[in-house]
Amino acid sequence: MDPRRVLIFRTVARAGSISAGARELGWTQPAVSQHLRTLEREVGGALLVRGSGGVDLTEAGRRLLAHADAVAAHLQAAAAELEDLAQLRTGSARLASFPSGSAVIVPRALAALAARAPEVEVGLVEAEPPEATELVRSGAVDLALVFGYQEDPTEEALVAVPLTEDPIRLVLPEGPDPVPGRLLDLADRAWVAGCERCRGHLVLCADRAGFEPRIRHVTDDYVVVQSLVARSLAVAVLPQTALEAFRHPQVRVVDLPELGARSIHVVHRSGIERVPAVAALLAALLQEGAG
């Protein structure tokens, strides 16, 4: 059976006549009659008995009408649910983010989204960029807040939406030592480095400056990094977001142009941005991240 013809039959049965059903549908009476005849051929028997006063249902018609009512009810419920999603009265989105982004950018974005669409639920999982990108690619999350350096390879398969630049700062222990004017001044110091990408950027900047950094400690935790630096056990570089998330009172932060910046962007699969809840989350990330 053609579901559209079943619903046409329902309209006529509820209206009481073919002419009344045609008016409700906005069709001509012959067009409606043709659909009804075709439906009766499909079901193998008469559904309506036509008379001067309208139509009466056969036993088959009464049984089909019960099913048609159920179909119409399901379609109305589906339309209501889709309307709620479109109007952000409900819906969900899944987000992955690197740690300092989760501490600084994500809370602002989620608060802004909650103010505009309080019924939209967002699930957050913390992951470094390679893992977060894989979560997007596999469909485990809808969006990922990630960072990258100029030397990093580009991700061809996903859409990358630029968010902001995240300057890289030199982190030194508090003390009387003069502030270095160039990275080479720290060639003889021990270093604490972070994730593989950040460590690679430090090594590249040091190589350009003319030395190989002596990396003594490795940790992804920016709180641990600053604690080691505060104790004069090493020096480090950290992105501005990490320093916004946590700033140890016994470290100095120095701006060295040689260190450059990393870019922060949102990655997603093509087309997912058309889902209303995902689009709203993306807009909040762009607004709050750029701010």
Side-chain angles (χ1 to χ4, degrees):
M1 287 181 290
D2 185 330
R4 185 179 61 161
R5 293 194 181 104
V6 172
L7 294 176
I8 293 170
F9 159 76
R10 176 181 179 272
T11 300
V12 170
R14 291 297 177 196
S17 70
I18 295 176
S19 58
R23 285 194 299 272
E24 187 173 331
L25 291 167
W27 291 10
T28 64
Q29 184 171 333
V32 172
S33 295
Q34 182 178 350
H35 279 293
L36 292 175
R37 286 193 296 270
T38 302
L39 179 61
E40 288 178 326
R41 287 197 299 270
E42 289 175 346
V43 302
L47 298 171
L48 300 168
V49 177
R50 299 159 179 82
S52 58
V55 295
D56 292 318
L57 299 181
T58 65
E59 181 180 358
R62 289 192 297 272
R63 295 194 180 191
L64 181 59
L65 180 59
H67 290 289
D69 285 340
V71 170
H74 282 299
L75 290 175
Q76 290 169 359
E81 287 185 20
L82 294 176
E83 176 67 14
D84 284 343
L85 289 171
Q87 299 300 321
L88 296 177
R89 291 190 291 266
T90 186
S92 63
R94 301 160 299 171
L95 172 67
S97 174
F98 60 95
S100 60
S102 299
V104 176
I105 298 173
V106 171
R108 295 199 303 255
L110 295 189
L113 178 60
R116 292 197 295 269
E119 300 304 319
V120 173
E121 295 183 356
V122 178
L124 171 66
V125 59
E126 196 168 88
E128 292 290 350
E131 293 76 23
T133 300
E134 185 56 38
L135 290 173
V136 171
R137 190 181 293 109
S138 69
V141 300
D142 303 305
L143 303 174
L145 186 66
V146 300
F147 66 83
Y149 296 93
Q150 187 174 7
E151 59 270 16
D152 291 337
T154 56
E155 176 57 60
E156 300 291 344
L158 300 175
V159 178
V161 184
L163 194 65
T164 189
E165 291 291 303
D166 195 11
I168 307 301
R169 311 296 191 193
L170 178 65
V171 184
L172 304 172
E174 283 283 12
D177 294 341
V179 175
R182 54 183 187 157
L183 197 57
L184 185 60
D185 296 337
L186 300 163
D188 61 343
R189 301 292 293 272
W191 290 80
V192 53
C195 69
E196 184 178 350
R197 284 187 170 191
C198 300
R199 190 160 63 250
H201 182 70
L202 168 62
V203 170
L204 179 62
C205 291
D207 181 67
R208 289 170 177 168
F211 72 99
E212 181 179 348
R214 183 162 49 93
I215 298 175
R216 179 175 294 170
H217 311 289
V218 176
T219 175
D220 292 342
D221 192 323
Y222 46 81
V223 176
V224 175
V225 170
Q226 294 182 58
S227 296
L228 290 170
V229 172
R231 296 284 184 174
S232 299
L233 299 173
V235 296
V237 293
L238 283 175
Q240 183 61 37
T241 52
L243 293 164
E244 289 179 23
F246 173 77
R247 177 70 176 271
H248 197 289
Q250 293 177 303
V251 300
R252 287 186 294 172
V253 176
V254 178
D255 185 10
L256 281 184
E258 296 170 85
L259 295 174
R262 66 183 186 179
S263 60
I264 297 177
H265 45 278
V266 182
V267 297
H268 62 81
R269 289 165 292 150
S270 179
I272 196 70
E273 74 281 3
R274 295 197 296 270
V275 176
V278 176
L281 175 58
L282 177 58
L285 286 167
L286 294 175
Q287 177 182 334
E288 299 302 321

